[in-house]
Each structure stands twice: as C-alpha cells, then as structure tokens.
C-alpha cells in the first residue's frame, strides 16, 4: 500500500476554525496494492469538511447508516460535512487510489454553493483528470514543507479543485447517452490499469466496436484530453511519485511507468514538467 499525507501543525486532530473563510487542515493519498482492505468508520463524523477524489479503482461508501454500499468509481468525488457519520472501505483487489483533503473555515458552505456543490450533494461526478492528482500532490507537499505563505497557497490550490469541479459540472461536455458514458468510463479505467504497457488506441477502439476517430473525439469531449495525452499524463504523474518516494534509478522508473527507452522517457518527462527526471529529483531533495 502507498500512503502519503500531511497535517497542519503536524496535528492529526480534526478542528473547527472560523478565523478565516477557508483553511486546509490536512491532505493525503492512499493507493492499495497488496493490503486486502482499508476501512474507515467515524460514527460521529469530524469537525471539519472532507473531500475525497477517487482517482483509480472503486471505493465503497455507506451513507445514512445503511448496510448497503454505494460503489463510487474513478472520476467521482465524495464530500462529507461536519459531524456527518463516515463509513467507507477500500479493497486491494480493486486497486483503489484515493486523494483526500480536510478543510474548515467561516465561509465554506457559501464557497461550496458558489462552486456548484449543493448542500445535499454527496457523490459528485467530476471526471478523471491528472490535473486533480497534480493539485492534491502539491497540497501534500505544501503541508510537508511549510514554506513561506504555504497556508495561503493551500487555500489557492483547494479553490483550484473547486473551480475545476464547477467547470466540469457547468460545461456541456458530458455525454448524454448512458452507453457512451459507460464506454468512456470503461476506457478511463482500462487506461489507468494498463498505462505502463504498450497501449494502441486504434486497437482498443476496434476491440470495442468503435471507429478510431469517433472514440478519440468522444474521449476528448469527455475528459478534455486525447487518449494518448491522458496516458502520458498518468505515466508522468506516477513517475513523479516514484522520483519523490523511491531510490529507483531514472531508467528503472521509466520502465515501471511504460518507457523502455530511458532517453525517450527523459525527453517526454522534460516536455511535460520542464525538468528532466534527474533535475526534478534534485530539486525535490533540495
């Protein structure tokens, strides 16, 4: 299991603070590989708000004390409000990958409403995007490093997530056909699970009985990126994580995320991030 988290003032205790409109208290991520299950049960909830983003696999939520689970797949967020009972489970067999953030403040309710998150919303269809993961990772880093003005930066980053969600909810880019919607979700899940293998967009489209141009056009309409751009973004995001958290060589990391040629991997990474993998790792260490 991979876990990376950070807490304001290094305190794991939840808190309510209305001294400012918005305050980020903690942020983190879980990615289950071998651990069979990871349950969370807070019968009395928390004092703050919590937003969870399912980036991969599935998560099982139990709302209103129900024993029947609500299965939330990748491309969705779940929001919990203060003192709302929380119960959810991740399973290793489903390769669950989740990012979460806790926040409080004097104007949270109004902010959420302004960004299209109504008071009765729990599960929010946000679409899958590497951009969400990038923002969550940056929030974790800000909390871990505590550089100048990091509290303000955390608020800015969280508002970026709210804005991205609002744009998704209000833009007429979501498919209206259940069949098409299911096909795009299936493609996202397949690419997330097989991003480090040799993927052929043409072969995938034909295997699903779709024309290549139709698939690419609708995938871009659904996610905002082409299939190959999405795959590259996932590869680079995972390469970033490995560069930050392991001692594997750049060549080894390239192989892990799907690039057999280390020079090509370095070129793609630099094109996406502005730094070569080696330069990125040195910057993180400093």
């Amino acid at each position: 299991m991979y876990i990376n988290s950070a807490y304001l003032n290094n305190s794991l205790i939840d808190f309510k603070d209305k001294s400012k409109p918005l305050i980020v208290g903690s942020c983190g991520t879980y990615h289950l590989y071998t651990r069979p299950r990871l349950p969370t049960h807070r019968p009395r909830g928390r004092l703050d708000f919590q937003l969870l983003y399912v980036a991969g696999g599935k998560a099982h939520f139990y709302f209103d004390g129900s024993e029947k689970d609500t299965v939330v797949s990748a491309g969705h967020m779940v929001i919990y409000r203060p003192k709302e009972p929380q119960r959810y489970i991740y399973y290793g067999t489903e390769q669950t990958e989740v990012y979460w953030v806790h926040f409080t403040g004097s104007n949270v309710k109004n902010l959420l409403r302004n960004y299209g998150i109504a008071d009765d919303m729990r599960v929010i269809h946000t679409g899958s995007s590497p951009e969400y993961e990038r923002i969550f990772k940056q929030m974790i880093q800000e909390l871990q490093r505590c550089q100048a003005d990091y509290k303000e930066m955390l608020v800015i980053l969280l508002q970026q997530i709210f804005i991205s969600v609002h744009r998704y909810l209000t833009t007429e880019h979501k498919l209206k056909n259940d069949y098409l919607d299911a096909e795009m979700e299936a493609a996202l899940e397949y690419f997330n699970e097989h991003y480090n293998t040799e993927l052929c967009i043409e072969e995938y489209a034909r295997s699903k009985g779709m024309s290549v141009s139709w698939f690419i056009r609708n995938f871009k309409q659904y996610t905002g990126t082409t299939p190959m751009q999405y795959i590259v973004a996932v590869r680079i995001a995972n390469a970033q994580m490995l560069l930050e958290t392991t001692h594997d060589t750049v060549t080894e990391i390239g192989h892990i995320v799907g690039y057999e040629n280390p020079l090509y991997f370095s070129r793609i990474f630099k094109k996406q991030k502005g730094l070569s993998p080696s330069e990125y790792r040195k910057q993180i260490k400093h």
Side-chain angles (χ1 to χ4, degrees):
M1 183 180 81
Y2 172 79
I3 179 173
N4 191 18
S5 57
Y7 299 83
L8 187 65
N9 302 321
N10 292 320
S11 174
L12 275 66
I13 300 175
D14 56 314
F15 63 93
K16 181 179 181 180
D17 187 341
K18 292 193 173 184
S19 61
K20 295 181 180 179
L22 183 62
I23 300 168
V24 175
S26 57
C27 187
T29 181
Y30 295 108
H31 193 173
L32 270 64
Y33 295 101
T34 56
R35 185 166 177 170
R37 66 198 297 268
L38 182 65
T40 296
H41 190 198
R42 302 185 182 107
R44 298 182 181 178
R46 291 175 55 103
L47 296 176
D48 52 14
F49 289 77
Q50 181 181 21
L51 184 71
L52 303 101
Y53 168 57
V54 183
K58 303 173 183 176
H60 299 255
F61 291 83
Y62 298 81
F63 298 115
D64 299 321
S66 173
E67 290 302 315
K68 180 174 174 55
D69 63 336
T70 298
V71 181
V72 178
S73 60
H76 293 79
M77 294 188 187
V78 173
I79 186 165
Y80 281 108
R81 292 161 178 83
K83 298 183 179 180
E84 183 179 355
Q86 300 182 10
R87 184 185 170 204
Y88 47 90
I89 303 176
Y90 311 143
Y91 293 99
T93 56
E94 296 176 335
Q95 294 286 293
T96 307
E97 182 176 8
V98 174
Y99 291 84
W100 52 267
V101 58
H102 292 285
F103 51 98
T104 183
S106 61
N107 198 36
V108 175
K109 288 183 179 180
N110 288 330
L111 281 171
L112 292 174
R113 291 167 186 161
N114 290 339
Y115 289 122
I117 303 175
D119 294 348
D120 59 350
M121 292 179 73
R122 280 176 168 160
V123 180
I124 310 164
H125 187 198
T126 60
S128 295
S129 171
E131 186 66 10
Y132 292 133
E133 299 178 41
R134 181 195 67 77
I135 298 173
F136 274 106
K137 287 178 179 178
Q138 190 173 346
M139 282 198 290
I140 294 170
Q141 290 178 0
E142 289 291 337
L143 274 168
Q144 290 173 339
R145 296 175 184 174
C146 299
Q147 296 176 312
D149 306 315
Y150 75 98
K151 294 180 182 179
E152 289 84 352
M153 179 61 75
L154 288 166
V155 171
I156 292 170
L157 292 169
L158 180 55
Q159 287 186 301
Q160 282 186 33
I161 291 178
F162 291 156
I163 291 169
S164 296
V165 170
H166 190 219
R167 287 178 176 176
Y168 187 90
L169 294 174
T170 56
T171 302
E172 291 296 325
H173 71 282
K174 290 190 290 183
L175 303 175
K176 303 300 182 182
N177 185 290
D178 289 341
Y179 166 75
L180 300 180
D181 189 81
E183 286 294 343
M184 296 304 110
E185 288 289 341
L188 285 169
E189 185 172 352
Y190 183 85
F191 293 154
N192 278 318
E193 291 179 357
H194 300 87
Y195 73 89
N196 58 350
T197 64
E198 286 191 28
L199 287 170
C200 178
I201 305 304
E202 290 78 8
E203 289 181 5
Y204 178 84
R206 294 190 185 104
S207 72
K208 298 294 183 179
M210 299 178 281
S211 75
V212 177
S213 60
W214 182 93
F215 172 64
I216 293 175
R217 183 175 65 254
N218 282 284
F219 187 94
K220 186 173 183 179
Q221 186 181 13
Y222 193 74
T223 66
T225 66
T226 67
M228 189 50 65
Q229 287 172 338
Y230 180 83
I231 292 165
V232 169
V234 173
R235 286 176 173 174
I236 298 304
N238 281 282
Q240 277 184 269
M241 181 185 73
L242 292 169
L243 287 166
E244 295 168 13
T245 61
T246 75
H247 297 291
D248 294 341
T249 67
V250 170
T251 298
E252 289 170 336
I253 290 173
H255 288 168
I256 291 170
V257 301
Y259 294 105
E260 293 299 321
N261 186 325
L263 294 177
Y264 182 67
F265 166 56
S266 294
R267 189 159 63 247
I268 292 293
F269 190 96
K270 187 169 185 177
K271 184 178 179 180
Q272 295 288 320
K273 298 300 175 183
L275 297 170
S276 70
S278 299
E279 291 168 340
Y280 181 83
R281 176 171 269 172
K282 288 179 182 178
Q283 186 185 70
I284 292 299
K285 288 181 178 179
H286 289 308

